[in-house]
Amino acid sequence: MADKENIKHFPVSWEELHRHAKALAWRMAEKGPWEGIVAVTRGGLVPAAIIARELDIRLIDTVCISSYDHQNQREARVLKGFEGDGEGWLIIDDLVDTGKTAAVLRKMIPKAHFATIYAKPAGRPLVDTFITEVSQDTWIYFPWDVELQFTQPIALQRGGR
């Protein structure tokens, strides 16, 4: 990611996440039917639950990949994989960032359709479908990662009065 001082902050509310996940479900409904969903833990769990409900999919599996320590990305470690090539399956994650996790998923489940809610330019070519693109220097704050608190106005964050 860009210099930590120049990072743009993009907070996402529960309502916004739900609306975007439902928009992703509409797109996936047109491309189905689906055998099942593979949720990428942990970020893909909530979007996968919403999409599973909207598409009436009952077969849900997980792939567990650890690649972040808070905001620091490191080597992706597969904690739990997936059996099969993914034919007819839908991979759901919250975000594709640098593409490191996505590359592991593509190799592991090559025939699955990979969909995310958010995509950054470096990882965008690795997903089949996404809803919203954000710049590479943006840090997305998901609702499960934040609490409500005061924040400085953008002008003050940039050194204004």
Side-chain angles (χ1 to χ4, degrees), residues 38-43 62-68 73-82 91 93 100-106 108-109 114:
V38 178
V40 182
T41 68
R42 293 177 305 207
T62 58
V63 169
C64 307
I65 299 176
S66 175
S67 61
Y68 279 92
Q73 191 170 31
R74 56 174 163 66
E75 185 76 23
R77 289 183 301 147
V78 176
L79 307 174
K80 178 186 174 286
F82 180 83
I91 300 171
D93 205 355
K100 290 179 183 178
T101 300
V104 171
L105 287 162
R106 283 289 190 201
M108 180 189 307
I109 317 171
F114 192 179

Side-chain angles (χ1 to χ4, degrees), residues 38-109:
V38 178
V40 182
T41 68
R42 293 177 305 207
L45 290 171
V46 172
I50 295 165
I51 292 164
R53 181 212 180 258
E54 294 300 331
L55 301 182
D56 196 28
I57 296 172
R58 305 285 178 156
L59 187 55
I60 315 287
D61 201 346
T62 58
V63 169
C64 307
I65 299 176
S66 175
S67 61
Y68 279 92
D69 292 318
H70 185 54
Q71 290 184 351
N72 301 312
Q73 191 170 31
R74 56 174 163 66
E75 185 76 23
R77 289 183 301 147
V78 176
L79 307 174
K80 178 186 174 286
F82 180 83
E83 295 294 322
D85 63 8
E87 180 76 38
W89 283 77
L90 178 57
I91 300 171
I92 299 293
D93 205 355
D94 56 352
L95 161 75
V96 60
D97 189 336
T98 63
K100 290 179 183 178
T101 300
V104 171
L105 287 162
R106 283 289 190 201
K107 187 174 181 183
M108 180 189 307
I109 317 171

